[in-house]
Amino acid sequence: MLATAGHITLSTAVFGRGTDFFCKDEGVEKNGGVHIMQTFLSEEISEEVQIQGRTARQGKRGSYQMILLDSDLELDFEVSAAEKDKVPKKQWYDWLCNVRSTHHRKQCLLIEKNLEEATEKDMMTHEYFDSLLAHNEAKSKEQFRNLYQSIKKPPAPSSVCIDLALLIDATGSMAPYAQSAVSVVKSLLCGQSTLTSKLSLNFPEIDFELRIGCLGFRDIDDGSNQFTELKFNDGSHFTHDVSIAFDFVKRVCATPSGGFDLAEDAIGALQHCANWQNDDDWTSDIKFMMLLSDAPAHGLLPKTSKLVNNADSYSVRHPDGLTTHSAVTSMVSKDIDLFFCSFNPGATARTEDELSMHFQSHPDNVAEHGVTRIPMVPTGAIVSDSSSMIGGYGQHTIFVLDESGSMSLFWSGVVAAYNQYIAKRKQSQSDSDLVSVVQFDSGARTTVRQQPLSAAPEHLSYQGGCTAFYPAATKACKLARETPQSHTPAIIFMSDGQADDASYAAREFLSLNDDVLEHQKKSLELHVIAFGSGTNAAQLQQIADASRNGKVHSSSDCAELANVFVNIATTQNVATFLESEIAKRISDAVSDKLSLEYFGS
């Protein structure tokens, strides 16, 4: 690079090393040669020496000068002009060398710290892959989460506000699960594993503020009763007081009713909730909806539900023009994620798939909001498209009722209990159920054969006689084998006595259970009820043991018998399935979602 009189050459620091400046201008040489001005303080003294060496090369004359800005020193080396002014001018360069040395030491410490963190991440990566190779799923999940957060976690905020809206299906089909839903919400908000306590445990440096909104929803044809929402005097929908929210949930779940077909207006509920417009609605850092339901949305029933009459009154078009896409658009516009908590995953699978697809494909969903699926029943109870839908196109109930002479005084109570069972199934939106009745003494007769629930007779005549179990078992099993493919048989066997042929009856039910297990891949639902004190417990247990799903119930009088019938009608065994465990799963899922989506971004 030529140095010529009257010219100024500007260059970056990279030209300070390994670049020759040739001076062939005698005038420049005569006036002192090439002059170098360095306008920054080098972090390394070696760089400064190299820059000085760009002049006075090959025996020629030259000079060097450093001109610095106070603001550059403050920005790059964290020293103020006031500190410099305390130093005599003749000692400025020595002072600058001390500043450089101090900065260098800090940089070395930072490099060592980064190296230590990189080494730790490297070890975590190796441990994670070791767990994968060892097929240790639980450990590898935890290690992956720790590794992910260690790499991606930004500085945590001091406080985080969360909006959580609870959308609860309050239609009749939710009756079996109403108390379970209450228990779930209680554990989420008020129990030992609350959402905020779990988050505080994971992120102790952050103050979490939780606001709850509540919406109970029914179906389109329920009119003014379709939506029941927690709303305050100022028009807002969210509260910090979890007790207010929980009391509202209990009221909604206390009276499940309505819903005139199998499908429910879940899409309408999502749209309604997303469109809360008060200035204080949906204002938090993180926003979630949690929908608890057992039914599919309109137009999204399982394909096998087409066998059912009155399955979907709005299968083609929502009367308000709502679609899954429009509901997802409303949620995406407000950065809302969805937890879909299903009490019947087989029934809601298409709805969940459709929502997930629209979230994933939505052009405005840059934050990748989506659906987290949470099945609310145990794995063995999850129904598929090919099996019965709880509260849906599902059950052929076969009553096997003892009408022997000893039942003469109690027969009206037996019929009343039978009618309470029918009423409870109607309340649970089980209108597609079929009902058959076998009455027995020493013989057996079929008095009701595959009648729809709505046509089941209220009155059952009484005959009287001795007691035999085998003829009744034979007729009941024949009715069960005649069950349409769209339904699943369930037998309710009630007696107040004992019989010499109980073992033959048990074998008949065992054979039926084998057939049900082969065709429907699950055991026969078999309820055996002991009425009064004259029963033979061993005989009734033998009958119940014919199926893995067999169960013996006891009732001392007609009132207790009615309670047993009602409990069977509400499928209480599913509704009470490990409620505390279910609640814990929701708390875990919410915490995981927040951890990965917010703190792992």
Side-chain angles (χ1 to χ4, degrees):
M1 190 174 294
L2 292 175
T4 307
H7 289 180
I8 297 175
T9 302
L10 301 177
S11 66
T12 59
V14 69
F15 289 94
R17 182 186 295 269
T19 303
D20 282 339
F21 290 81
F22 296 99
C23 180
K24 297 184 178 180
D25 189 323
E26 293 182 0
V28 171
E29 180 68 16
K30 183 178 178 180
N31 290 317
V34 176
H35 182 70
I36 299 292
M37 289 187 293
Q38 182 175 345
T39 58
F40 65 95
L41 179 63
S42 296
E43 292 187 4
E44 300 288 342
I45 186 64
S46 59
E47 181 184 58
E48 183 178 308
V49 171
Q50 287 288 329
I51 292 173
Q52 292 172 357
R54 295 313 94 198
T55 185
R57 299 183 65 81
Q58 299 179 353
K60 295 187 179 292
R61 302 172 67 187
S63 57
Y64 167 86
Q65 183 181 21
M66 188 183 293
I67 301 175
L68 305 177
L69 285 175
D70 288 339
S71 58
D72 285 350
L73 290 175
E74 187 170 358
L75 178 65
D76 297 333
F77 293 88
E78 300 178 351
V79 291
S80 66
E83 186 177 348
K84 179 207 68 177
D85 292 341
K86 296 177 183 178
V87 179
K89 188 173 182 179
K90 291 183 178 180
Q91 298 176 15
W92 275 2
Y93 184 73
D94 292 336
W95 174 76
L96 287 173
C97 288
N98 289 331
V99 166
R100 176 162 45 205
S101 297
T102 300
H103 177 73
H104 180 74
R105 286 194 296 270
K106 289 181 179 179
Q107 291 297 106
C108 289
L109 291 174
L110 180 60
I111 291 172
E112 290 176 0
K113 181 182 178 182
N114 290 340
L115 179 60
E116 183 179 338
E117 291 179 355
T119 302
E120 182 181 0
K121 291 182 177 66
D122 181 64
M123 290 178 61
M124 292 171 68
T125 303
H126 282 286
E127 290 171 354
Y128 166 61
F129 280 107
D130 288 343
S131 296
L132 285 179
L133 294 173
H135 304 288
N136 190 331
E137 182 178 351
K139 189 174 182 180
S140 61
K141 283 183 177 179
E142 181 65 23
Q143 288 172 333
F144 177 78
R145 179 175 299 147
N146 293 337
L147 178 61
Y148 183 85
Q149 291 185 359
S150 71
I151 295 172
K152 301 289 288 184
K153 182 178 177 181
S158 60
S159 63
V160 171
C161 188
I162 303 166
D163 282 346
L164 176 63
L166 304 173
L167 285 67
I168 300 176
D169 184 344
T171 59
S173 65
M174 277 291 290
Y177 316 112
Q179 291 307 309
S180 184
V182 170
S183 179
V184 163
V185 174
K186 181 179 180 181
S187 179
L188 187 67
L189 302 182
C190 313
Q192 294 182 349
S193 297
T194 63
L195 171 59
T196 51
S197 64
K198 286 180 65 64
L199 291 173
S200 296
L201 182 64
N202 292 335
F203 309 100
E205 71 278 11
I206 298 174
D207 180 23
F208 288 97
E209 179 183 346
L210 180 64
R211 306 195 315 160
I212 306 297
C214 299
L215 174 69
F217 69 94
R218 293 183 171 85
D219 207 0
I220 297 167
D221 291 334
D222 288 301
S224 60
N225 294 323
Q226 182 177 6
F227 297 119
T228 304
E229 60 186 15
L230 180 62
K231 192 173 183 179
F232 299 94
N233 293 335
D234 62 355
S236 63
H237 294 85
F238 287 90
T239 177
H240 295 93
D241 192 334
V242 295
S243 63
I244 292 177
F246 183 55
D247 287 343
F248 180 89
V249 170
K250 287 192 292 185
R251 290 197 299 273
V252 167
C253 293
T255 56
S257 62
F260 297 93
D261 52 14
L262 297 184
E264 309 296 1
D265 192 19
I267 301 304
L270 294 172
Q271 185 83 54
H272 184 92
C273 185
N275 286 345
W276 285 344
Q277 297 292 346
N278 186 271
D279 291 342
D280 196 42
D281 291 338
W282 298 119
T283 57
S284 292
D285 307 297
I286 308 172
K287 304 156 199 171
F288 290 99
M289 289 186 194
M290 181 176 292
L291 186 145
L292 296 96
S293 179
D294 70 325
H298 287 291
L300 296 171
L301 264 68
K303 295 179 180 179
T304 45
S305 295
K306 294 178 181 178
L307 300 170
V308 186
N309 293 327
N310 193 36
D312 190 350
S313 302
Y314 300 96
S315 60
V316 177
R317 183 182 182 276
H318 192 287
D320 295 329
L322 301 181
T323 64
T324 310
H325 178 76
S326 66
V328 169
T329 297
S330 296
M331 287 186 280
V332 167
S333 69
K334 295 188 177 179
D335 292 317
I336 300 171
D337 282 280
L338 174 64
F339 288 95
F340 200 115
C341 307
S342 176
F343 288 93
N344 191 355
T348 61
R350 285 188 64 198
T351 304
E352 296 171 47
D353 289 343
E354 189 80 3
L355 287 165
S356 296
M357 183 270 291
H358 282 287
F359 265 110
Q360 292 170 6
S361 60
H362 201 287
D364 297 332
N365 190 16
V366 293
E368 298 183 354
H369 298 292
V371 181
T372 298
R373 307 181 187 209
I374 304 176
M376 301 298 293
V377 293
T379 303
I382 294 176
V383 297
S384 65
D385 281 352
S386 61
S387 59
S388 164
M389 191 169 79
I390 296 172
Y393 74 100
Q395 187 160 289
H396 176 201
T397 303
I398 303 164
F399 291 92
V400 188
L401 305 177
D402 187 342
E403 62 171 354
S404 61
S406 59
M407 291 295 299
S408 60
L409 298 177
F410 308 106
W411 186 250
S412 61
V414 172
V415 175
Y418 153 84
N419 280 313
Q420 287 190 47
Y421 175 95
I422 301 296
K424 195 65 177 178
R425 293 295 289 178
K426 287 180 179 178
Q427 182 189 25
S428 300
Q429 288 185 276
S430 302
D431 292 338
S432 58
D433 276 9
L434 299 175
V435 176
S436 296
V437 179
V438 174
Q439 297 173 224
F440 70 94
D441 44 27
S442 58
R445 59 193 180 116
T446 301
T447 55
V448 180
R449 182 187 298 273
Q450 287 194 23
Q451 289 295 310
L453 199 65
S454 58
E458 295 182 4
H459 303 288
L460 301 174
S461 63
Y462 173 74
Q463 186 164 285
C466 299
T467 304
F469 292 162
Y470 180 65
T474 301
K475 285 192 176 293
C477 291
K478 183 175 185 297
L479 286 168
R481 290 186 173 95
E482 294 172 353
T483 299
Q485 291 183 356
S486 58
H487 289 66
T488 300
I491 292 179
I492 301 175
F493 184 99
M494 186 279 298
S495 177
D496 74 333
Q498 51 189 305
D500 295 335
D501 59 355
S503 61
Y504 294 99
R507 283 200 292 269
E508 191 69 25
F509 285 122
L510 181 62
S511 175
L512 173 63
N513 181 67
D514 290 340
D515 292 344
V516 172
L517 192 60
E518 179 181 355
H519 291 94
Q520 300 201 359
K521 310 304 179 187
K522 61 180 180 180
S523 295
L524 172 70
E525 183 177 344
L526 176 59
H527 299 276
V528 181
I529 304 172
F531 181 79
S533 58
T535 59
N536 186 314
Q539 288 184 354
L540 297 183
Q541 187 64 58
Q542 184 181 17
I543 292 174
D545 288 343
S547 169
R548 290 183 61 184
N549 288 337
K551 184 175 182 181
V552 175
H553 309 262
S554 297
S555 57
S556 60
D557 53 33
C558 291
E560 287 189 6
L561 180 66
N563 288 334
V564 171
F565 273 34
V566 168
N567 286 341
I568 294 172
T570 56
T571 57
Q572 193 175 42
N573 58 321
V574 174
T576 58
F577 168 73
L578 296 177
E579 290 176 341
S580 61
E581 292 297 322
I582 293 173
K584 183 177 182 298
R585 287 170 62 190
I586 288 191
S587 292
D588 288 343
V590 174
S591 180
D592 290 346
K593 181 78 172 178
L594 294 176
S595 298
L596 291 176
E597 294 298 325
Y598 186 79
F599 297 101
S601 62

